[in-house]
Amino acid sequence: MTFELAEQSLITAIHGLYDDREAATIAAMVMEFVTGKSKMDRWLQKNEPLSIENLKSLEKYSKELLTGKPVQYVLGEAWFAGLCLQVNEHTLIPRPETEQLVDWILKENFVTALDIGTGSGCIPIALAKNTDAKVLAIDVSEDALLIAEENAKDNEVEIDFIHQDILQTNSLQKVDLIVSNPPYVLESEKEKMQENVLDYEPELALFVEDKNPLIFYKKIASLAFNFLNENGKLFFEINAKFGKETIEMLVDIGFVNIELKKDMNDKDRMIKAIKK
């Protein structure tokens, strides 16, 4: 089977699960992963046959994709802010919205930073890769931390990873900047979510009870107010439904110069607050 026919066959196979654009994007990701060849190289060699080894890999990944498993979990990797990261069922797949949050943070000056609920380590690794700051990261999941540590090593950055349940934490190391993308999807929002997210991504990192949607934000903000350095900055990724409530909570705690920022889909998604 040629490069061109293999890619088209994969698109056709998964078309029932994804629309045209998504199917083509996923097929291109798999083909590049399997063959090690870029889109341009595959086009130039479109009439050349795939190796038997490549065909076997392609068949294996096709079967996994047809179960609805996200392509990032099938391949075991995801790209974030130009970095290749390992991902598995213990870590969320990094989102473009979180890349926007990192871009916003990188406009700041800071010497020390802490990421709370690090998952794959995408946020602290991107910060460490693009600054000279000392970066720390916390997660309640030991399995997630193992992946985060591997990702830091693969991307040649040093990060202090800490196994810690933030809801049971009463003190933090003093830093200039704290960032968190904590669980914020309401239990009641499950029914609106895609099945491949519900079936494969870790619930621990996604969901909060409807009766207490800001549980992580309140705890983290309270800790941040006590353990940020003077003029320290707090950044959150948030549920778009709770922008107003999150701002009010931050004001009550004592933060100032609070900014609410929209994501690429024009949803309230990020907040910055300063501790004076």
Side-chain angles (χ1 to χ4, degrees), residues 1-4 6 31 34-35 48-52 54-55 58:
M1 185 179 287
T2 64
F3 280 85
E4 184 177 37
M31 286 294 293
V34 167
T35 66
E48 292 189 21
L50 269 72
S51 68
I52 292 175
N54 283 170
L55 284 170
L58 196 60

Side-chain angles (χ1 to χ4, degrees), residues 47-48 78 133 141 145 153 195 225 231 268 271:
N47 295 318
E48 292 189 21
S141 168
L145 286 173
K153 182 179 177 182
E195 286 186 14
F225 195 75
N231 294 315
D268 293 336
I271 282 183

Side-chain angles (χ1 to χ4, degrees), residues 81-269:
L83 305 170
C84 186
L85 303 172
Q86 296 180 49
V87 292
N88 65 16
E89 69 276 9
H90 301 297
T91 64
L92 290 181
I93 297 167
R95 264 56 174 194
E97 294 88 345
T98 309
E99 286 192 26
Q100 286 186 276
L101 177 64
V102 167
D103 288 342
W104 195 16
I105 293 170
L106 288 174
K107 293 179 170 64
E108 304 291 336
N109 293 315
F110 53 93
V111 176
T112 51
L114 168 65
D115 176 39
I116 298 175
T118 197
S120 65
C122 61
I123 292 175
I125 291 169
L127 296 182
K129 199 72 177 176
N130 290 283
T131 71
D132 294 322
K134 178 183 178 182
V135 184
L136 303 91
I138 289 171
D139 205 285
V140 68
S141 168
E142 290 184 274
D143 292 319
L145 286 173
L146 289 174
I147 293 294
E149 287 168 355
E150 285 294 317
N151 284 329
K153 182 179 177 182
D154 290 345
N155 285 282
E156 301 178 328
V157 294
E158 289 190 13
I159 294 167
D160 290 338
F161 289 105
I162 304 159
H163 178 230
Q164 199 167 357
D165 181 349
I166 198 64
L167 295 180
Q168 303 300 320
T169 298
N170 295 314
S171 65
L172 297 172
Q173 185 170 322
K174 285 257 187 179
V175 291
D176 298 325
L177 186 146
I178 290 175
V179 54
S180 186
N181 176 18
Y184 62 66
V185 181
L186 300 179
E187 289 282 347
S188 61
E189 293 177 316
K190 278 186 178 180
E191 61 187 34
K192 301 175 185 175
M193 298 182 70
Q194 295 178 330
E195 286 186 14
N196 60 353
V197 173
L198 293 174
D199 291 345
Y200 294 98
E201 299 205 51
E203 289 198 7
L204 181 68
L206 281 171
F207 297 107
V208 288
E209 295 181 356
D210 287 45
K211 64 182 180 182
N212 199 1
L214 299 183
I215 181 171
F216 286 97
Y217 296 91
K218 290 174 182 176
K219 179 67 176 185
I220 293 167
S222 295
L223 286 167
F225 195 75
N226 290 321
F227 294 98
L228 275 170
N229 290 326
E230 187 177 353
N231 294 315
K233 299 174 180 71
L234 173 63
F235 284 85
F236 280 133
E237 183 172 324
I238 67 166
N239 186 324
K241 290 183 176 181
F242 297 107
K244 180 172 179 261
E245 290 85 348
T246 307
I247 289 172
E248 290 172 351
M249 177 268 296
L250 290 167
V251 169
D252 288 344
I253 290 173
F255 283 93
V256 298
N257 299 345
I258 299 167
E259 296 179 52
L260 179 63
K261 193 176 181 70
K262 293 184 182 295
D263 65 14
M264 62 192 75
N265 298 310
D266 202 37
K267 292 184 177 180
D268 293 336
R269 185 66 64 195

